[in-house]
Amino acid sequence: MDDFLWWRDGVIYQIYPRSFSDSNGDGLGDLIGIVSHLDYLNDLGIDAIWLSPFQPTPDKDFGYDVSNYTAVDPRFGTLADFDRLVEGAHLRGMRIVLDLVLNHTSDQHAWFRESSSSQDNSKRDWYIWRECPNNWQASFGGSAWEYDPGTRQYYLHLFTKEQPDVNWRNPEVRKAMLDVFRFWLEHGVDGFRLDVFNAYFKDPDLPDNPPKFGLRAFDRQRHIHDIDQPEMIPFLNELRGLLDSYPERYAVGETYLAKLQKTISYCGEDKLHAAFSFDFTSNDLFFPWDPAWWMDQITRREEATNQASIWPTTVLSNHDLPRAASRYSRGEDDAQAKLAMSLLLTLRGTPFLYYGEEIAMRDISLKRGEILDPPGRKYWPIYKGRDGCRSPMQWNDKPFAGFSNTRPWLPVHPDYTRRNVAAQQADPDSMFNFTRNLLHLRKETPALRRGSFIPLKTPRGTLAYLRQTDDQCVLVRMNFRKSQVNIAQPAGEWRAVFTSAEGARGRLTPYEIQLFSKE
Ligand code: NOJ
C-alpha cells in the first residue's frame, strides 16, 4: 500500500491492560487476555497497540508507579507472555507501543529503596533530595515534597508521594534509563509512549514557581521551573539516535501541562516523532460541542504543525479523561459519539483510539467509598478521578461482560447487556460497525491518511473540510446539531463514500456525517 508508515498513516489503539480481558479469572486483565483478542483488533482495522504499563507496581497510581522497569507484574503475566503478544501482533502486521513511566519510579523500586536508605548511599543522588521544600505542588494535590524521617531530608514527587521523581541530571540515571529502552527494543517493541517526559529535568536550583491565578494551589503557580528545561532536548537527541539504530521505531511524548508550541519544539527528525498536544481535551472539565470552537482548535494546530513540519496526534479519550461518548452523547444515542469518532479518524494526524471507544463505552459512576484513583479520593466531589473511564471492556452480555469470570477490579458499566462488542458486531448501524467501516475506508484512502487539511465555510452548526493529496480529494461534512441543516451540494464530480444517515447531498440530518471523494 503506497508508502504506508505505520505511526504516521496508521491508527494506534490504547489498551489499559488491567481492564481489557482477564484470562486467568483474578478480576484483572492480563497479557494473555490481550493475545486472545489480537484477531479482533486486526479485524477492527487498527495498526498498533499502545499498552499502558504492565510492569510490577504497588498500584498507588495503577501502574504509573513502576517498581521494576524490565519485568512483567505477575498479575499481568510473564515476559514470555509479552513475547507471545509481540509475536502475535507482528504476525498480523500490528505494532506494539510501550508506555514508559520514567519521570518517577515507585517508592518500592530498588533504586529508591537504596536512595532512601541513607544520605551517603551510592544511589542517593538518583532522586531529588533537599533540606527544605520549595513552593512546588504535586499534580495530585499537596506539596511536591515529602519528608523522610529516616534520612531527615525531603524528596521531590510531582505526583503521589509514592512516586518519587528521579534525578535525570545524574549520568548514571540516564544510562540506566537508556538501558530500559534497549531492553524492550530487544524484545521487539516498535515504539514508546513517554509518560510526562517534559518533566524529566527540573531547574537545578529548584527556585519557587511564580504565582498566577488559579483554583487549586497547583494551578496558582506558573510551572516554569519544574518542567520544560533545556536539557530535555539533548536527551531526546540521544534517545532518537538509539531508536534510529533499529528500523521504523517510534516515540510519542505525553507532554505534561501541554502547550502547543512547546509540544512541537520536542518533535523533529532528531527528537520525538510526535508529542500529544491534547488540542481537543486540554481542559478536563470543559469539552465544547461547538463546530466553531473545533475549527479554531484545528486551524491553530494545522498552522503550527505545518510550519514546523510536525505530524500531529489526535486524542479524544484516554485513561486520564472522561470518555468522549460520555462527554458528548445524551442518553443511549451514539450519534454524537459517531461524530466525535469521525473527527478523530478524518483530521490530519495520527488518531489514538482508546479501548471501548469503538463501542462508545460510557464512564461508570462510583460512590465516594468505591473510588480508587488518588486524585479522585483527594478532590471528590469536585473531581471524581479517573476510575470512570477505566472500567472493564464490554465484550458480550455474559456476566461481567465477558471480561472475566469473576468480579473485576472496577465495576462493569451496567449498560453492558445492551452495549457490548458481540451485540454491536451483529448490528450494521452500531457504533462498532461505524468505526470499523471508517477505519477501513481510512486505510484505503490516501487523502484521509496523508492529505493536507483545507477548512471550508459552512452554515452555523456544521463543520466541513477537505483532505487533499495530489491525486485525490475527500470532502468531510458534519452536522453538530440535533436539527436538520440545509447545505449546498458540493460542486463537481463527487462520489459519496460514507455517511452515518441519509447521505442526501443538499442537507445534513441531525448529527450526520458525510464523506465524498474525487479522484
Ligand atoms: C500521566 C499518566 O497518563 C497518568 O495516568 C499518570 O497518573 C501520571 N502521568 C503520572 O505518571
Side-chain angles (χ1 to χ4, degrees):
M1 193 190 305
D2 48 79
D3 51 350
F4 192 95
L5 181 55
W6 71 269
W7 59 266
R8 207 182 142 107
D9 297 81
V11 175
I12 302 180
Y13 183 97
Q14 179 188 358
I15 291 182
Y16 196 65
R18 68 189 64 214
S19 294
F20 196 64
S21 177
D22 172 17
S23 74
N24 63 354
D26 63 357
L28 268 190
D30 45 53
L31 298 179
I32 293 301
I34 300 172
V35 172
S36 68
H37 289 289
L38 285 174
D39 284 331
Y40 166 79
L41 295 169
N42 194 26
D43 168 74
L44 179 61
I46 57 110
D47 302 278
I49 304 167
W50 150 25
L51 298 164
S52 277
F54 52 79
Q55 290 94 348
T57 170
D59 269 354
K60 297 295 178 194
D61 187 15
F62 300 96
Y64 286 85
D65 50 322
V66 176
S67 55
N68 181 353
Y69 288 119
T70 53
V72 174
D73 191 310
R75 295 171 304 163
F76 301 135
T78 62
L79 210 46
D81 295 340
F82 179 75
D83 292 337
R84 257 180 80 186
L85 172 54
V86 174
E87 197 190 342
H90 286 172
L91 263 173
R92 294 165 177 82
M94 294 185 288
R95 312 292 174 127
I96 296 288
V97 175
L98 234 63
D99 206 326
L100 285 185
V101 189
L102 308 180
N103 171 69
H104 44 267
T105 67
S106 156
D107 62 351
Q108 298 307 309
H109 195 293
W111 299 344
F112 189 72
R113 284 170 179 257
E114 278 193 55
S115 183
S116 57
S117 66
S118 76
Q119 282 202 22
D120 50 20
N121 182 274
S122 62
K123 290 210 168 45
R124 185 65 169 181
D125 185 50
W126 281 43
Y127 293 82
I128 301 173
W129 295 93
R130 285 296 178 278
E131 296 296 326
C132 294
N134 60 15
N135 76 345
W136 295 1
Q137 296 290 307
S139 155
F140 294 161
S143 166
W145 296 92
E146 181 71 14
Y147 185 66
D148 173 41
T151 59
R152 294 182 311 283
Q153 278 186 326
Y154 292 83
Y155 65 85
L156 181 71
H157 60 88
L158 295 187
F159 295 90
T160 70
K161 66 179 168 46
E162 293 87 2
Q163 292 166 291
D165 280 48
V166 297
N167 178 15
W168 274 80
R169 291 183 182 276
N170 182 314
E172 289 173 25
V173 168
R174 284 206 299 280
K175 185 183 167 302
M177 292 308 196
L178 283 169
D179 285 344
V180 172
F181 284 96
R182 278 190 196 97
F183 177 87
W184 291 111
L185 285 165
E186 289 302 319
H187 277 269
V189 165
D190 303 280
F192 300 95
R193 177 259 188 197
L194 307 183
D195 190 74
V196 298
F197 75 98
N198 58 322
Y200 289 179
F201 291 89
K202 284 84 182 167
D203 186 320
D205 299 330
L206 305 176
D208 280 352
N209 278 324
K212 77 166 180 57
F213 177 77
L215 277 182
R216 300 183 305 154
F218 179 82
D219 306 313
R220 282 199 297 275
Q221 49 184 251
R222 287 176 51 221
H223 293 273
I224 59 171
H225 297 303
D226 46 351
I227 60 171
D228 291 328
Q229 299 300 300
E231 291 78 2
M232 194 60 217
I233 301 292
F235 174 71
L236 292 180
N237 298 153
E238 194 177 352
L239 173 62
R240 184 60 181 261
L242 172 64
L243 296 179
D244 285 350
S245 65
Y246 294 78
E248 283 196 24
R249 294 315 201 262
Y250 166 71
V252 55
E254 186 215 20
T255 331
Y256 182 48
L257 309 178
K259 295 212 178 57
L260 182 58
Q261 285 299 345
K262 198 75 200 166
T263 299
I264 287 173
S265 72
Y266 291 119
C267 305
E269 291 201 335
D270 57 351
K271 295 179 271 185
L272 296 174
H273 299 75
F276 297 129
S277 48
F278 301 118
D279 311 281
F280 313 113
T281 59
S282 58
N283 182 328
D284 58 10
L285 296 174
F286 176 61
F287 302 101
W289 182 256
D290 170 10
W293 179 87
W294 278 82
M295 193 52 105
D296 245 32
Q297 294 295 106
I298 299 166
T299 42
R300 224 168 63 89
R301 171 174 101 157
E302 280 295 305
E303 267 166 41
T305 51
N306 275 321
Q307 200 178 21
S309 303
I310 295 306
W311 193 243
T313 56
T314 310
V315 178
L316 298 188
S317 298
N318 66 26
H319 64 293
D320 292 331
L321 293 165
R323 287 176 175 274
S326 290
R327 301 193 313 250
Y328 305 126
S329 300
R330 299 282 162 269
E332 276 297 293
D333 188 18
D334 289 342
Q336 283 154 289
K338 286 178 179 168
L339 199 150
M341 181 62 76
S342 313
L343 285 162
L344 179 66
L345 299 182
T346 63
L347 290 177
R348 199 178 66 91
T350 308
F352 282 76
L353 200 69
Y354 184 51
Y355 83 94
E357 205 170 350
E358 71 274 32
I359 55 167
M361 266 172 65
R362 311 295 208 258
D363 282 23
I364 51 167
S365 60
L366 296 175
K367 298 200 189 78
R368 183 180 191 167
E370 296 170 329
I371 289 176
L372 303 177
D373 186 32
R377 292 166 80 112
K378 166 107 187 158
Y379 291 115
W380 193 95
I382 297 165
Y383 176 65
K384 294 184 178 156
R386 302 163 295 178
D387 301 312
C389 65
R390 299 174 176 179
S391 66
M393 178 70 176
Q394 296 164 205
W395 293 105
N396 53 44
D397 63 0
K398 303 216 175 80
F400 310 118
F403 162 77
S404 174
N405 56 22
T406 190
R407 186 163 299 283
W409 75 289
L410 275 176
V412 175
H413 195 291
D415 73 2
Y416 79 92
T417 48
R418 301 181 303 277
R419 181 177 299 287
N420 60 65
V421 170
Q424 292 201 13
Q425 280 174 328
D427 171 4
D429 292 329
S430 66
M431 179 75 185
F432 173 84
N433 280 311
F434 178 90
T435 307
R436 182 176 178 279
N437 292 341
L438 194 49
L439 279 165
H440 285 266
L441 177 69
R442 190 181 185 281
K443 208 168 271 221
E444 295 153 13
T445 313
L448 281 180
R449 289 187 274 110
R450 285 279 172 117
S452 58
F453 174 92
I454 304 167
L456 298 178
K457 275 211 175 345
T458 50
R460 274 166 83 96
T462 66
L463 188 71
Y465 46 87
L466 302 176
R467 298 290 314 283
Q468 193 164 11
T469 55
D470 288 344
D471 34 34
Q472 189 179 45
C473 187
V474 173
L475 165 69
V476 182
R477 313 200 296 185
M478 300 171 184
N479 180 7
F480 277 60
R481 293 204 168 158
K482 58 171 188 271
S483 53
Q484 180 175 301
V485 181
N486 293 329
I487 188 165
Q489 184 163 342
E493 288 296 298
W494 292 99
R495 190 166 54 91
V497 286
F498 190 83
T499 177
S500 61
E502 296 179 359
R505 295 189 177 216
R507 64 169 183 268
L508 286 163
T509 59
Y511 306 121
E512 183 172 359
I513 301 111
Q514 298 178 345
L515 269 68
F516 299 89
S517 129
K518 192 158 77 170
E519 309 287 313

